[in-house]
Amino acid sequence: QVQLVESGGGLVQAGGSLRLSCAASGRIFRLNDMGWYRQAPGKQRESVARITSGGTTNYIDSVKGRFIISRDNAKNTVYLQMNSLRPEDTAAYYCNARIAQSPLVAARDYWGQGTQVAVSS
């Protein structure tokens, strides 16, 4: 089985920073794209940032220039450095990873349990 364990959420004032981490563990043959999603109360879950196994990144427009996604392939871990946080960044943040557990099985998406980020004005 595969587990994604997130850490790093919390409460911060507007303009502050937080760093989220997500470590994948278990039976992993190949770890492909990893990313972060968020879901605010009453809103749909949205993709915030993604990173390929080769390090190519993409972001939604609202976080460009403020958030940085990175990964450590040796540790099967993805990070999200969030700077200049705004109240509208308040949400539950979920880690996502596309993982193949064996060479004979197609990769599929796995999700973390979510970590709460709250930004006060």
Side-chain angles (χ1 to χ4, degrees):
Q1 196 46 279
V2 171
Q3 280 190 318
L4 300 182
V5 179
E6 299 140 339
S7 60
L11 174 64
V12 65
Q13 288 188 331
S17 297
L18 285 173
R19 188 191 195 211
L20 306 182
S21 300
C22 172
S25 63
R27 186 180 177 186
I28 299 172
F29 170 72
R30 184 175 61 252
L31 182 53
N32 297 335
D33 291 10
M34 301 184 80
W36 292 92
Y37 287 67
R38 68 186 180 187
Q39 187 166 20
K43 294 188 177 181
Q44 287 190 326
R45 187 174 296 190
E46 63 178 355
S47 176
V48 176
R50 294 198 65 79
I51 183 168
T52 68
S53 56
T56 300
T57 60
N58 62 73
Y59 303 88
I60 55 170
D61 286 346
S62 60
V63 308
K64 285 180 181 176
R66 300 189 297 123
F67 291 11
I68 301 172
I69 188 170
S70 61
R71 63 191 283 170
D72 184 333
N73 290 329
K75 296 180 179 179
N76 290 340
T77 299
V78 64
Y79 306 95
L80 186 67
Q81 178 66 45
M82 304 185 293
N83 302 317
S84 302
L85 281 160
R86 304 168 179 168
E88 54 264 38
D89 295 316
T90 296
Y93 283 71
Y94 297 89
C95 173
N96 168 266
R98 178 147 291 193
I99 294 171
Q101 288 194 277
S102 82
L104 303 177
V105 178
R108 72 172 188 89
D109 285 329
Y110 291 85
W111 293 89
Q113 79 283 359
T115 185
Q116 186 66 40
V117 171
V119 183
S120 62
S121 57

